[in-house]
């Protein structure tokens, strides 16, 4: 017993050290508590400092980032300014608009007060001053047309005449001709003309849009990375399905990201504001027309979805017309991949926005008081995505329906076109005319419209066919056929094979590109009615009654854009026709090439024929060239027997 007690004293158990361990734990807890309170005080101090100087710190951070970016831009310009020019221009434009926004937000009222004397002066004298301005503009256009016609020929004058005819027809068939406000009409056409003049007739403007078109083309080429990974290295063997349609997915993802970053809304607001202050259109119309430059006819309406049930009938008509007459950026990439000029496609998409409002306000004038204010219209919907990656995924997923719509419609309508042509050929064979087809019928129905746009007589039937394809089967089918014509022209093959014309002139291709650039077709009519009815079910009756008129208005808006392009576009004159015709008719070379036919067309159009033996060839050409050109083209406007054989 004593031994056990001794052992217990020499070897104490765990219970004997519990007070010491507890003291250590308490001390550790106290120290941790003191440190935690210290950190909390410091964190609170830092948080208070941040809340007090939050704006200043934010400015400092953005200032550092901006300084780093500007240093990179300066370094890039110093290394190679030509290579860094696009980056420099983008930087300057961004800085300008950001400064402009802040300046206007702060000093807008002061600017209005400063300009108010001038505004009061205009209001007092506007009754006579407007006649002076309009007379000056009309005289300027007349003199410009005179000099331009003398320089480039009479074809541009035909396009101008077609523009006037379209405006007169719209006025005659207007819903309320006596209530037409001419400011949106003239300003819409004027903005088209100014944009076209800047892009098509000035060197910097043309170079800028050609550069932009090339950048878009290069940008869309990145789709190949995803397409080749998914479909294999031979994906281009199925060009349309695996090369072209994936572009819609890629572009949809990019557009969704831009919406998440609010960049697209900012651009749409600026363009909408420009049309609002110039054309005098309502805020809701201006925003939707601007949005249609970038997105589709149903997506643009979603920008102002909360206000759609409250728009007037004229505004509803204008919104649908803007959708029919413009082209979404997501599908422009497809047509660029077909080989259609990127610069002309981008120009047509921008020019059609003011044209749509001009035509809409002429065909369906405003008779009510708009309820949507400028402030409300500019409050466009924001992206529902929580981050940038989710926005990209949402954009790619939402494009599935677009891709499926394009694919199934192509299958259905090309098959339907084949069946219709077979049925028409069978029917025509009953009357010994087996070549009867849908193309021939469209060529005669739409030929007057293509003539009014400035297309020459020989090409007018081919352009009319393309318009028929677009109207009944969609612009996708029409651009596909146009791309084939462009490829044949670039191949410089015979222009006529067995008496059938194979391709058109560059001028006619340009006009056709603008005339086809819009969603105005029968398929889109059903899409618009369905989409708008789901957005604003209370306006179902108004939507159904205005949709057909809007489709016609959108088609004519595309034709007016093509007229402007016909006035301003000039076929490259880089062919020495004397040398070309001499080589063609004095040797065994082919006489049915692009250059020879183009020179012969120019010669025949400038020839004056008064009667047999009284023929004066134009362009200082000889009667020998005229005789050979007449036999080659067999024109209906000149009797070849009038040209004397003895030269």
């Amino acid at each position: 017993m004593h031994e056990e007690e001794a052992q217990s004293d020499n070897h104490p158990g765990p219970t004997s050290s519990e007070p010491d361990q507890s003291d250590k734990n308490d001390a550790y807890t106290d120290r941790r508590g003191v440190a935690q309170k210290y950190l909390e005080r410091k964190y609170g101090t830092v948080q208070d400092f941040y809340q007090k100087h939050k704006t200043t710190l934010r400015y400092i951070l953005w200032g550092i980032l901006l300084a780093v970016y500007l240093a990179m831009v300066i370094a890039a310009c110093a290394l190679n300014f030509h290579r860094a020019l696009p980056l420099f221009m983008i930087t300057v434009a961004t800085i300008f608009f950001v400064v402009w926004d802040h300046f206007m937000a702060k000093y807008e009222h002061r600017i209005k007060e400063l300009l108010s004397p001038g505004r009061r002066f205009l209001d007092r004298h506007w009754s006579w001053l407007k006649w002076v301005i309009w007379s000056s503009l009309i005289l300027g256009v007349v003199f410009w047309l005179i000099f331009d016609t003398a320089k480039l020929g009479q074809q541009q004058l035909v396009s101008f005449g077609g523009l006037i005819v379209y405006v007169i027809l719209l006025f005659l068939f207007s819903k309320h001709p006596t209530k037409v406000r001419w400011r949106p009409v003239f300003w819409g056409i004027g903005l088209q003309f100014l944009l076209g003049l800047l892009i098509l007739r000035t060197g910097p403007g043309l170079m800028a849009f050609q550069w932009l078109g090339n950048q878009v083309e290069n940008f869309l080429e990145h789709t190949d990375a995803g397409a080749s990974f998914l479909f294999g290295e031979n994906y281009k063997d199925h060009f349309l399905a695996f090369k072209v349609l994936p572009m819609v997915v890629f572009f949809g993802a990019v557009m969704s990201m831009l919406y998440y970053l609010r960049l697209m809304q900012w651009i749409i607001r600026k363009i909408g504001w420009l049309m609002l202050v110039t054309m005098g259109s309502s805020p809701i119309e201006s925003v939707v027309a601007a949005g249609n430059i970038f997105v589709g006819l149903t997506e643009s309406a979603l920008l102002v979805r909360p206000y759609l049930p409250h728009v007037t009938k004229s505004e509803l008509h204008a919104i649908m017309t803007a959708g029919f007459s413009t082209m979404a950026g997501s599908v422009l990439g497809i047509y660029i991949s077909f080989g259609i000029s990127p610069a002309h496609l981008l120009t047509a998409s921008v020019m059609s926005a003011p044209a749509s409002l001009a035509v809409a306000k002429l065909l369906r004038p405003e008779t009510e008081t708009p309820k949507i204010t400028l402030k409300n219209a500019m409050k466009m919907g924001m992206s529902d995505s929580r981050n940038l990656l989710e926005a990209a995924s949402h954009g790619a997923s939402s494009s599935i329906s677009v891709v499926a719509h394009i694919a199934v419609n192509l299958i259905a309508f090309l098959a339907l076109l084949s069946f219709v042509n077979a049925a028409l050929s069978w029917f025509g064979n009953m009357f010994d005319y087996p070549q009867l087809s849908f193309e021939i019928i469209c060529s005669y129905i739409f030929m007057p419209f293509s003539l009014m746009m400035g297309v020459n007589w020989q090409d007018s039937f081919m352009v009319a066919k393309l318009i028929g394809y677009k109207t009944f089967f969609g612009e996708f089918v029409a651009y596909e056929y146009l791309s084939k014509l462009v490829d044949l022209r670039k191949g410089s093959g015979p222009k006529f094979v067995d008496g059938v014309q194979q391709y058109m002139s560059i001028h006619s291709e340009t006009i056709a590109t603008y005339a086809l650039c819009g969603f105005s077709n029968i398929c889109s009519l059903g899409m618009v009615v369905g989409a708008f009815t789901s957005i604003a079910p209370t306006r179902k009756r108004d939507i159904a009654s205005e949709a057909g008129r809007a489709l016609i208005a959108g088609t004519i808006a595309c034709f007016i854009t093509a007229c402007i392009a016909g006035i301003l576009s000039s076929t490259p004159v880089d062919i020495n026709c004397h040398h070309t015709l001499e080589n063609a008719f004095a040797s065994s070379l082919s006489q049915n090439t692009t250059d020879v036919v183009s020179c012969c067309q120019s010669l025949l159009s400038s020839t004056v024929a008064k009667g047999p033996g009284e023929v004066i060839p134009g362009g200082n050409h000889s009667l020998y060239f005229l005789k050979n050109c007449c036999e080659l083209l067999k024109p209906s406007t000149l009797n070849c027997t009038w040209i004397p054989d003895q030269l």
Side-chain angles (χ1 to χ4, degrees), residues 523-552:
C523 307
S524 298
L525 181 63
M527 290 175 54
V528 166
V529 172
F532 276 60
T533 302
S534 64
I535 295 173
T538 58
R539 305 297 300 275
K540 182 177 181 180
R541 181 172 297 180
D542 293 334
I543 292 169
S545 63
E546 298 294 338
R549 184 182 290 269
L551 175 63
I552 297 173

Side-chain angles (χ1 to χ4, degrees), residues 50 53-65:
Y50 173 76
H53 305 282
K54 179 170 61 176
T55 304
T56 304
L57 292 174
R58 188 175 299 173
Y59 283 148
I60 292 174
L61 178 61
W62 282 109
I64 293 172
L65 294 176

Side-chain angles (χ1 to χ4, degrees), residues 379-442:
K379 289 181 180 178
M380 291 177 286
M382 298 293 109
S383 174
D384 296 330
S385 303
R386 288 169 293 182
N387 54 58
L388 196 61
L389 291 178
E390 184 180 350
S393 177
H394 177 73
S397 301
S398 61
S399 64
I400 295 175
S401 60
V402 181
V403 172
H405 175 79
I406 293 173
V408 298
N409 276 279
L410 273 178
I411 295 171
F413 288 124
L414 288 177
L416 183 61
L417 178 62
S418 177
F419 169 74
V420 169
N421 282 335
L424 289 173
S425 178
W426 172 80
F427 181 76
N429 194 41
M430 303 292 180
F431 305 94
D432 294 330
Y433 192 68
Q435 60 267 35
L436 181 65
S437 64
F438 178 79
E439 292 90 339
I440 291 177
I441 295 174
C442 287

Side-chain angles (χ1 to χ4, degrees), residues 67-314:
V68 172
Y69 174 77
L70 291 177
M72 293 172 60
V73 172
I74 294 172
C77 293
L79 290 173
N80 190 328
F81 183 77
H82 180 74
R83 182 179 60 190
L85 183 59
L87 178 64
F88 176 77
M89 296 300 296
I90 292 172
T91 303
V92 171
T94 303
I95 293 175
F96 171 78
F97 283 113
V98 170
V99 172
W100 174 266
D101 283 347
H102 286 284
F103 180 80
M104 291 300 296
K106 191 173 183 179
Y107 299 105
E108 184 177 4
H109 296 292
R110 295 185 183 181
I111 294 174
K112 287 183 178 180
E113 293 176 1
L114 185 65
L115 298 177
S116 58
R119 185 177 183 85
R120 288 194 296 268
F121 174 81
L122 290 175
D123 291 338
R124 286 196 305 267
H125 302 283
W126 186 246
S127 58
W128 62 269
L129 194 59
K130 63 181 179 181
W131 294 107
V132 175
I133 295 174
W134 286 118
S135 300
S136 302
L137 289 175
I138 292 172
L139 286 175
V141 171
V142 169
F143 282 114
W144 183 83
L145 283 172
I146 291 173
F147 290 114
D148 200 59
T149 302
K151 180 181 179 181
L152 298 176
Q154 300 177 356
Q155 208 63 38
Q156 279 76 11
L157 200 59
V158 175
S159 298
F160 179 76
L163 173 63
I164 301 299
V165 171
Y166 282 128
V167 172
I168 293 174
L169 289 174
L170 287 169
F171 177 75
L172 292 176
F173 290 97
S174 175
K175 184 80 171 178
H176 305 285
T178 58
K179 297 184 178 180
V180 172
R181 291 177 61 246
W182 290 100
R183 177 186 171 185
V185 178
F186 290 139
W187 264 106
I189 297 175
L191 284 176
Q192 271 193 299
F193 187 83
L194 289 175
L195 287 170
L197 190 66
L198 176 66
I199 298 168
L200 299 175
R201 283 297 183 89
T202 62
L206 183 60
M207 289 176 58
F209 261 70
Q210 286 177 342
W211 175 84
L212 185 61
N214 293 333
Q215 299 311 306
V216 171
E217 198 170 1
N218 295 333
F219 171 73
L220 294 174
E221 289 296 326
H222 293 290
T223 311
D224 295 347
S228 62
F229 176 79
L230 187 62
F231 304 119
E233 294 297 330
N234 298 325
Y235 70 99
K236 291 185 180 180
D237 293 344
H238 304 279
F239 184 79
L240 184 60
F242 296 157
K243 164 70 176 176
V244 175
L245 291 182
M247 290 182 179
V248 180
V249 180
F250 175 50
F251 199 88
V254 173
M255 290 295 292
S256 182
M257 294 170 68
L258 293 178
Y259 266 100
Y260 173 77
L261 296 173
R262 301 185 181 182
L263 178 62
M264 195 54 61
Q265 292 93 321
W266 182 83
I267 295 174
I268 291 172
R269 286 193 193 99
K270 298 305 175 187
I271 300 176
W273 177 83
L274 176 64
M275 289 191 286
L276 174 68
V277 298
T278 54
M279 300 178 62
S281 53
S282 71
I284 200 84
E285 296 165 342
S286 304
V287 169
V288 173
N292 271 293
I293 299 175
F294 307 98
V295 296
L297 68 172
T298 55
E299 291 88 343
S300 62
L302 294 175
L303 294 173
V304 290
R305 181 173 186 168
Y307 314 111
L308 205 58
H310 310 292
V311 297
T312 65
K313 291 183 179 180
S314 178

